[in-house]
Amino acid sequence: MSTPDGAIVMDHPLLKVLMSTLRDVNSSTGVFRQTLNKIAGLLATEATRHFEITAVPVTTPLTVTQGARLTRPVIIVPILRAGLGLVDGMLPLLSDATIAHVGIARNEETALPEPYYAKLPSTLPEAEVLLVDPMLATGGSACEALNQLKAAGASRLTLVTVVSCPEGITAVRTAHPDVRLVTAVIDECLNERCYIVPGLGDAGDRYFGT
Ligand code: PRP
Ligand code: URA
């Protein structure tokens, strides 16, 4: 399902059920991790829907028929830390993907993104790139990561988030209208501390148990 602001919101009953577990303040660290993994697997199917395939022959026990392979390499880029929580759930479907890393911490007082690490492969220009982060709040972290990826040559970019809000979607769509945006839900708004409401709290703290 696409929204007027250009985000693709995945619509699936299993996703809705998993989202209530993820949001629940009483879900333990273990349950939160398992649930985020499952959500990442579902989102991977939606985020890769546009990937091109190339026809290849495949030999079955009976005959030769037409099969398919992905035309381009795939690079998954988690925004550290919380983005790491989406990688394991995507890998069963994208087992040959390269994993790159971008480290960005949101300043707790200003909510502005502070980059602290990047490890990006030289294959970015020819790859399908999935930038992953559970939370799209002000959009500052995602826009900073997208700037870095484009400066390194990436052009086929999909941002995959779990909880987004209108402020973050507008920020990304304005600065990066060419980037596909796939999310599980769009929440109501940001509160005075720039946390998403109703949201799920601090995704990194909940995933890592800190
Ligand atoms: C969180 C989240 C996003 C960012 C979203 O990370 O994982 O990266 O905030 O907020 P924004 O859209 O306003 O930039 P945080 O900086 O708290 O770091 P962490 O992943 O290490 O917990
Ligand atoms: N980062 C989070 O982890 N949660 C929010 O609600 C906003 C930013």
Side-chain angles (χ1 to χ4, degrees):
M1 176 179 87
S2 286
T3 62
D5 41 18
I8 298 164
V9 184
M10 189 171 178
D11 187 20
H12 197 290
L14 296 182
L15 190 54
K16 290 187 169 67
V17 174
L18 290 166
M19 279 307 304
S20 28
T21 305
L22 198 73
R23 288 187 193 276
D24 192 338
V25 68
N26 293 312
S27 293
S28 66
T29 304
V31 168
F32 188 90
R33 276 187 198 138
Q34 284 172 0
T35 308
L36 192 57
N37 277 348
K38 293 175 190 170
I39 289 172
L42 289 174
L43 286 174
T45 63
E46 188 63 45
T48 55
R49 192 178 287 282
H50 65 293
F51 281 11
E52 282 175 28
I53 50 174
T54 300
V56 290
V58 58
T59 307
T60 80
L62 303 180
T63 186
V64 176
T65 187
Q66 185 173 296
R69 65 167 176 80
L70 290 177
T71 304
R72 298 191 174 85
V74 179
I75 303 177
I76 302 174
V77 189
I79 302 181
L80 307 178
R81 288 176 304 169
L84 288 172
L86 293 173
V87 174
D88 283 354
M90 292 187 167
L91 281 179
L93 286 172
L94 298 166
S95 44
D96 284 334
T98 296
I99 317 285
H101 296 88
V102 173
I104 301 172
R106 202 169 78 139
N107 183 299
E108 287 187 9
E109 262 122 53
T110 63
L112 292 173
E114 295 179 350
Y116 60 86
Y117 181 77
K119 187 78 177 173
L120 301 175
S122 59
T123 45
L124 279 171
E126 64 260 26
E128 289 283 357
V129 180
L130 301 176
L131 176 65
V132 302
D133 193 324
M135 309 305 282
L136 180 63
T138 66
S141 304
C143 285
E144 166 62 30
L146 289 167
N147 288 340
Q148 289 188 27
L149 290 168
K150 286 183 177 178
S155 63
R156 295 178 191 83
L157 284 152
T158 302
L159 172 62
V160 186
T161 64
V162 177
V163 183
S164 300
C165 65
E167 294 90 332
I169 293 171
T170 300
V172 169
R173 297 288 305 154
T174 304
H176 298 282
D178 55 308
V179 172
R180 294 175 78 251
L181 170 50
V182 175
T183 190
V185 288
I186 301 178
D187 275 7
E188 285 159 30
C189 59
L190 294 174
N191 70 10
E192 64 290 345
R193 291 178 53 230
C194 292
Y195 273 77
I196 299 175
V197 182
L200 50 76
D202 187 306
D205 282 349
R206 294 198 66 186
Y207 186 83
F208 290 104
T210 50

